């Protein structure tokens, strides 16, 4: 099993637990059992903490620039000599 896959699963689980904890805090703040500043403070600290832990666990993704595509060289163009034909006829 790939170690990166395990790290991603742990981070997803942490975010899931964090979301559940924020819902519990929200319901406690609505019911009045927890003061609103304490709920907001815990929410901010836990959000920053979970993001910090996940940044430390997961490696940074390398952003690779798109490979440059070289244009095909233009084919050598032959120039066609133009000449003026009197009488409105087409030149052959």
């Amino acid at each position: 099993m790939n170690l990166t896959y395990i790290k991603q699963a742990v981070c997803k689980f942490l975010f899931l637990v964090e979301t559940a904890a924020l819902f519990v805090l929200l319901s406690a703040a609505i019911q009045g059992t927890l003061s609103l500043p304490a709920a907001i403070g815990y929410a901010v600290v836990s959000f920053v903490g979970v993001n910090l832990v996940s940044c430390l666990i997961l490696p940074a993704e390398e952003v690779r620039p798109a490979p440059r595509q070289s244009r095909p060289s233009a084919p050598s163009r032959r120039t066609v000599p133009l000449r003026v034909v009197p009488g409105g006829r087409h030149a052959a």
Side-chain angles (χ1 to χ4, degrees):
M1 192 176 231
N2 194 355
L3 186 61
T4 305
Y5 177 74
I6 295 172
K7 289 179 181 179
Q8 288 176 348
V10 167
C11 286
K12 287 180 183 178
F13 178 73
L14 284 175
F15 281 116
L16 195 74
V17 168
E18 175 65 26
T19 304
L22 291 179
F23 278 123
V24 169
L25 283 175
L26 179 66
S27 65
I30 289 173
Q31 289 179 354
T33 57
L34 183 65
S35 67
L36 188 62
I40 291 174
Y42 177 77
V44 169
V45 169
S46 63
F47 181 75
V48 170
V50 168
N51 279 315
L52 181 66
V53 168
S54 66
C55 286
L56 293 175
I57 289 175
L58 292 176
E61 294 180 6
E62 294 181 18
V63 178
R64 296 183 182 180
R68 295 182 70 186
Q69 296 177 353
S70 61
R71 293 185 194 170
S73 60
S76 60
R77 297 182 182 164
R78 296 184 312 183
T79 57
V80 179
L82 301 176
R83 43 188 184 139
V84 178
V85 179
R89 297 175 296 178
H90 296 290

